[in-house]
Amino acid sequence: MAKIDGKAGIIGWGVYIPKYRIKMDEFVRVWGFEPSVPQSLRMYEKAIAGPDEDTITIGYEAALNALRRAGINPSDIEAVFVGTESKPYAVKPSATVIAEALGITPKTTAVDMEFACRAGSEGIRNSIALVVSGMVKYALAIGADTAQASPGDVLEFTASSGGAAFIIGRGEEASAVFEGVYTYVTDTPDFWRRELSPYPQHGEGFTGEPAYFHHIVNAVKGLMEELGLSPEDFDYAVFHQPNGVFPIRVGKILGIPLEKITPGLVTPWIGNTYNGSALVGLAKVLEEVAKPGDRILLAPFGSGAGSDAYSIIVTDKILEIRDKASTVKEYIERKEYIDYAVYARFRNLIKRIPEA
Amino acid sequence: MTYPARIWRERHSRYRLVGVRCKKCGAIYYPPRPVCEKCKSRELEEVELPRRGKIISYTILHNPPVGYRDQAPLVFALVELENGVRVFAPLTDVDPHSVEIGMDVEAVLRRINRKEEYGVIPYALKFRPLIR
């Protein structure tokens, strides 16, 4: 458990969601699923990266929006973390491309992180530590993915593209400050992708109870115990959102009612953006409902497995910055539907003879 | 092949829309050039250009060159930036048939092509219709 006591906070945030959407009916039509499957996941549609997009371009635009809200000089950022499980390069940091494109280089560190869907959150934890220790003035933590799913796998209903970025700095300047973070990690094989394998696999029996629910529940309980808080103390709660059902169910287990979860729920409309999942939800809460003084529970989760539970308190500064960049709502509403054929083309699922 | 040396050398202009301004006569160029076309001065400084502009003209490529086929039909446009500098660049996130002269666009970072599976990935700015 790390007590942060408001010494570090969010200076700016931003998201990016690609404009292309595919409806769940398309997966049912093409692969012969029982139509109740997407309904049981509470999924309607998901966002798909265009043919010229990847984790780097998604992370870049989310970070550009975070910079617009923060209003700081990019060269004052001294650490860039990119949490992803869909790196464009197996070897070569995504973080250096983004740092260069944003004008953050060269007086900075930059690194990619991997922990399934939790790596972006680990970037936030590291950013907080660097800021509180005084090693950096500002740090940028990005969670972004173009998530893969084997065609016809149930994962195809949810695996989507998108991302979020948070600029972390000293609490006095922040639009929301961190009260504490509690991390709970074990070795649990619920989801993995081996080197050179194009698609991940999931250990069916492990997916829910021993992985998602066990880790989030223990991280949140640990946080509340250490900070002396109870579920009623939180105005909003944002959990990792692998589908539209799990975050509501984990809220029920923890005694957090639906109305505190729905403002940050985005997966039914954009899919699971993996490292962006909970972070896009947090951005939506900050943009649409959070008032100064509100306390927000944030609990990302990553397979493999682990969860971070953060307590975040909103400050007056949120009112000045929240409209300075494109919002989650604007990106969700900017959409163009594609069918499975175009989806297959965009996701590079169609074999063609290489060009001369 | 996309040469790493060229990607590295052009990274500022390609990633951040950095052009050059002539210190002598003030003319601005994109992409950057070593000599001012107007006054022939070699004293030029880097300058970051505005990210927004209007489409002056455009063309639609239904048979794009090697490396671009997954983006067909591809739209290339001449964009006049807010400071009057003209940039020739691809458009993205747009239905080719909805493109109009005078359309407001903004620069975004994208993959430029997929010429090869194993080389350095070329990223650069493209333009898309404004989101807000």
Side-chain angles (χ1 to χ4, degrees):
Chain A
M1 164 74 190
K3 279 193 179 169
I4 304 159
D5 295 327
K7 289 180 195 145
I10 298 165
I11 307 296
W13 73 88
V15 304
Y16 177 73
I17 301 161
K19 72 176 277 201
Y20 300 103
R21 298 286 184 286
I22 185 166
K23 290 186 177 172
M24 295 299 115
D25 300 351
E26 279 295 287
F27 302 112
V28 170
R29 178 175 74 86
V30 172
W31 298 115
F33 281 102
E34 164 67 36
S36 64
V37 175
Q39 288 163 19
S40 70
L41 296 168
R42 202 177 164 238
M43 286 298 301
Y44 309 122
E45 52 198 57
K46 69 170 190 175
I48 299 300
D52 60 356
E53 295 186 290
D54 61 22
T55 292
I56 287 176
T57 67
I58 289 169
Y60 162 83
E61 186 157 337
L64 190 64
N65 283 325
L67 274 168
R68 286 172 177 145
R69 283 199 176 85
I72 61 167
N73 188 341
S75 60
D76 284 339
I77 292 174
E78 295 170 292
V80 178
F81 298 103
V82 177
T84 183
E85 57 160 73
S86 40
K87 283 159 60 83
Y89 288 99
V91 177
K92 191 199 171 309
S94 305
T96 54
V97 181
I98 294 173
E100 188 83 52
L102 292 169
I104 295 170
T105 50
K107 200 180 125 279
T108 184
T109 185
V111 68
D112 294 0
M113 295 185 144
E114 199 284 313
F115 193 124
C117 300
R118 191 189 144 258
S121 173
E122 186 60 47
I124 293 177
R125 289 178 84 258
N126 277 266
S127 295
I128 292 169
L130 290 174
V131 166
V132 171
S133 72
M135 279 183 75
V136 306
K137 188 174 181 189
Y138 301 113
L140 168 63
I142 297 167
D145 269 298
T146 54
Q148 320 90 358
S150 180
D153 189 312
V154 72
L155 263 184
E156 222 181 8
F157 285 116
T158 51
S160 77
S161 309
F166 288 82
I167 295 170
I168 309 298
R170 293 187 61 79
E172 305 89 81
E173 295 176 48
S175 54
V177 296
F178 295 100
E179 214 177 359
V181 55
Y182 189 103
T183 297
Y184 186 93
V185 164
T186 72
D187 181 20
T188 304
D190 58 321
F191 179 96
W192 63 92
R193 178 164 67 86
R194 294 280 299 270
E195 182 82 348
L196 302 181
S197 164
Y199 307 117
Q201 299 189 56
H202 35 109
E204 288 294 349
F206 276 111
T207 300
E209 215 47 61
Y212 180 88
F213 294 102
H214 177 76
H215 292 81
I216 291 183
V217 165
N218 279 290
V220 173
K221 282 185 174 167
L223 177 84
M224 291 195 293
E225 205 178 297
E226 296 274 352
L227 291 179
L229 298 171
S230 60
E232 301 77 55
D233 294 316
F234 294 101
D235 298 283
Y236 301 100
V238 186
F239 302 106
H240 176 57
Q241 307 169 21
N243 52 52
V245 174
F246 276 21
I248 293 164
R249 198 181 297 161
V250 80
K252 212 168 195 177
I253 295 168
L254 289 163
I256 295 170
L258 187 64
E259 61 267 25
K260 292 185 178 181
I261 298 169
T262 46
L265 196 60
V266 291
T267 288
W269 299 276
I270 64 168
N272 178 8
T273 57
Y274 282 46
N275 275 284
S277 185
L279 304 183
V280 173
L282 173 64
K284 186 165 177 283
V285 168
L286 294 173
E287 288 162 15
E288 295 179 10
V289 291
K291 298 182 303 295
D294 282 351
R295 184 183 274 122
I296 302 168
L297 171 66
L298 170 70
F301 164 81
S303 290
S307 176
D308 307 300
Y310 300 82
S311 176
I312 300 168
I313 297 174
V314 179
T315 76
D316 295 342
K317 293 196 174 65
I318 195 164
L319 304 172
E320 298 163 26
I321 70 163
R322 72 168 142 207
D323 198 42
K324 285 189 173 173
S326 295
T327 61
V328 175
K329 187 168 181 281
E330 286 169 10
Y331 281 113
I332 289 180
E333 287 173 355
R334 180 190 80 122
K335 63 182 169 184
E336 178 183 330
Y337 289 108
I338 56 173
D339 62 8
Y340 197 91
V342 176
Y343 165 86
R345 182 183 152 188
F346 283 6
R347 297 300 298 153
N348 213 11
L349 304 180
I350 302 172
K351 275 189 184 172
R352 300 177 81 182
I353 292 172
E355 289 177 289
Chain B
M1 160 167 192
T2 309
Y3 294 100
R6 182 170 174 192
I7 287 176
W8 177 80
R9 194 171 61 241
E10 295 178 350
R11 67 198 189 284
H12 292 156
S13 63
R14 286 172 169 263
Y15 293 180
R16 298 213 310 269
L17 211 53
V18 170
V20 288
R21 178 168 43 209
C22 175
K23 284 183 172 176
K24 219 168 158 189
C25 76
I28 299 174
Y29 298 97
Y30 186 89
R33 48 185 301 143
V35 180
C36 177
E37 201 174 46
K38 287 182 182 156
C39 73
K40 310 298 176 207
S41 166
R42 285 177 178 272
E43 282 183 53
L44 295 106
E45 60 185 351
E46 284 197 344
V47 53
E48 205 162 319
L49 304 176
R51 304 175 63 91
R52 291 188 174 205
K54 278 184 195 305
I55 293 176
I56 299 298
S57 188
Y58 67 96
T59 186
I60 302 172
L61 276 77
H62 290 276
N63 292 300
V66 171
Y68 294 81
R69 68 177 179 180
D70 59 336
Q71 299 177 50
L74 185 64
V75 189
F76 270 91
L78 187 62
V79 175
E80 187 168 286
L81 303 177
E82 285 171 344
N83 64 352
V85 173
R86 290 182 174 190
V87 176
F88 187 64
L91 300 186
T92 189
D93 284 359
V94 68
D95 170 6
H97 302 291
S98 72
V99 178
E100 289 176 352
I101 288 170
M103 185 184 246
D104 291 310
V105 291
E106 63 185 328
V108 290
L109 189 76
R110 293 297 169 94
R111 275 181 185 231
I112 285 301
N113 59 44
R114 283 179 198 273
K115 274 190 188 157
E116 54 197 302
E117 285 297 306
Y118 301 106
V120 177
I121 302 168
Y123 293 94
L125 294 170
K126 291 186 174 185
F127 287 84
R128 68 145 184 240
L130 295 185
I131 287 191
R132 55 150 57 188

